Amino acid sequence: MKARAQILFCAVLLCMAGQAAAQDTGTVHPAPFLPSPPSTVDEMLRLAEVGPGDVVYDLGAGDGRVVIAAAAKFSARGVGVEIDARLVAQARRNAEQAGVADRVRFLQQDLFATSLRDATVVALYLSPNLNEKLRPTLLALAPGTRIVSHSSGMGDWRPDRKTSIRKDVLLWIVPARVAGRWRSVPGPGEPGRALEFEIAQRFQEVSVDARLDGAAAQVWEARLEGDRLSFVIVERVGTKDETALYYVGRVSGSHIEGRVTRGVGKARTEHAWRAARAAQ
């Protein structure tokens, strides 16, 4: 009995060592397939605003229901990534039966070894631990890429939106990297307002400190959603001419291009607005 107990103990240690090695390398081994309810799948795709121009990747695709629904109901294209060969075969059969085999494909491989370069939407039904391991890869995707998860979060990266249709559904929009100092660059014939601002960023949460025409300016409602940055500056504070300036722009690398609107209603004026990163 003592020898048998020692053998059993050694077997448990070997099993634990194998699991630890898999976690260290990020390798995902087959796990029991837990399908998302159809209404939750629909909500994931609705919340991510999937449309005909999207490429939806489902990491841990199971029987393929997410990418099949994306193709059948939203006219998108899809790629399912699944390590279990039996589920991959089932997903391909399901796609044929749904009449969308020409719009989806399924890869039998480790999700951590999968390139997501052409993804516009990434769907997940994984553990919180795996979501966090994927987080650096997801944050490196193009700004505006939508990440939608059934139930599990991303640690301290808070979702942009959350709903509950039978299950919790969480949405993140990959934010542009905007932290640093910026300076407005007026174009020919545009008002020459001198705006300098510095952005502090934590994921999609931003705060802005600004100087307008050389004077400190209060900034309100600073928001970043994907590559869309917006904020409001109030000038001539405390006077009868107090007016809000609404800045909205798309971030592309070291440049921002958009519009600035001064005032509202009949007093509203609008012109192009551009900014560039200031030399550090």
Side-chain angles (χ1 to χ4, degrees), residues 68-87:
I68 290 171
K73 297 181 179 181
F74 297 86
S75 301
R77 291 182 292 130
V79 179
V81 181
E82 173 58 55
I83 203 167
D84 189 323
R86 292 170 299 174
L87 287 172

Side-chain angles (χ1 to χ4, degrees), residues 205-227:
E205 298 175 8
V206 293
S207 60
V208 180
D209 289 325
R211 297 185 69 82
L212 182 63
D213 296 334
Q218 289 187 323
V219 178
W220 307 86
E221 292 295 316
R223 298 182 186 278
L224 177 65
E225 185 172 281
D227 63 353

Side-chain angles (χ1 to χ4, degrees), residues 3-243:
R4 182 178 297 176
Q6 289 176 335
I7 292 171
L8 179 60
F9 178 69
C10 290
V12 170
L13 288 179
L14 286 171
C15 180
M16 292 174 64
Q19 291 174 344
Q23 290 175 355
D24 288 343
T25 61
T27 301
V28 178
H29 295 290
F33 171 47
L34 300 175
S36 297
S39 57
T40 301
V41 171
D42 289 350
E43 178 61 9
M44 292 172 72
L45 299 172
R46 186 203 68 82
L47 190 61
E49 298 183 354
V50 171
D54 283 313
V55 180
V56 179
Y57 273 67
D58 185 13
L59 304 184
D63 64 2
R65 61 183 58 197
V66 171
V67 293
I68 290 171
K73 297 181 179 181
F74 297 86
S75 301
R77 291 182 292 130
V79 179
V81 181
E82 173 58 55
I83 203 167
D84 189 323
R86 292 170 299 174
L87 287 172
V88 171
Q90 182 183 346
R92 289 170 178 161
R93 290 193 299 270
N94 291 345
E96 289 282 355
Q97 292 171 2
V100 296
D102 61 329
R103 300 192 62 80
V104 302
R105 59 193 177 98
F106 295 95
L107 307 176
Q108 184 193 347
Q109 62 187 43
D110 186 339
L111 59 88
F112 285 95
T114 300
S115 171
L116 303 175
R117 185 168 46 193
D118 62 338
T120 59
V121 177
V122 179
L124 308 170
Y125 185 15
L126 303 171
S127 69
N129 180 53
L130 288 177
N131 276 8
E132 287 199 56
K133 286 187 174 183
L134 276 169
R135 195 170 78 176
T137 299
L138 299 174
L139 282 166
L141 295 176
T145 303
R146 289 143 283 160
I147 316 298
V148 63
S149 173
H150 173 167
S151 297
S152 295
M154 292 276 183
D156 58 353
W157 182 15
R158 298 194 300 178
D160 290 88
R161 301 184 192 110
K162 178 180 177 181
T163 64
S164 185
I165 305 294
R166 292 197 65 193
K167 306 289 184 178
D168 287 343
V169 177
L170 300 89
L171 174 74
W172 297 260
I173 301 172
V174 175
R177 297 181 181 182
V178 297
R181 292 172 53 237
W182 298 79
R183 182 177 292 116
S184 281
V185 183
E190 294 173 358
R193 303 297 297 272
L195 173 64
E196 297 183 357
F197 56 101
E198 184 163 0
I199 303 176
Q201 178 180 15
R202 181 172 176 78
F203 304 118
Q204 74 272 38
E205 298 175 8
V206 293
S207 60
V208 180
D209 289 325
R211 297 185 69 82
L212 182 63
D213 296 334
Q218 289 187 323
V219 178
W220 307 86
E221 292 295 316
R223 298 182 186 278
L224 177 65
E225 185 172 281
D227 63 353
R228 183 183 185 275
L229 175 70
S230 62
F231 55 88
V232 180
I233 292 176
V234 178
E235 64 175 346
R236 298 172 184 167
V237 176
T239 73
K240 65 181 180 63
D241 296 320
E242 181 174 295
T243 307

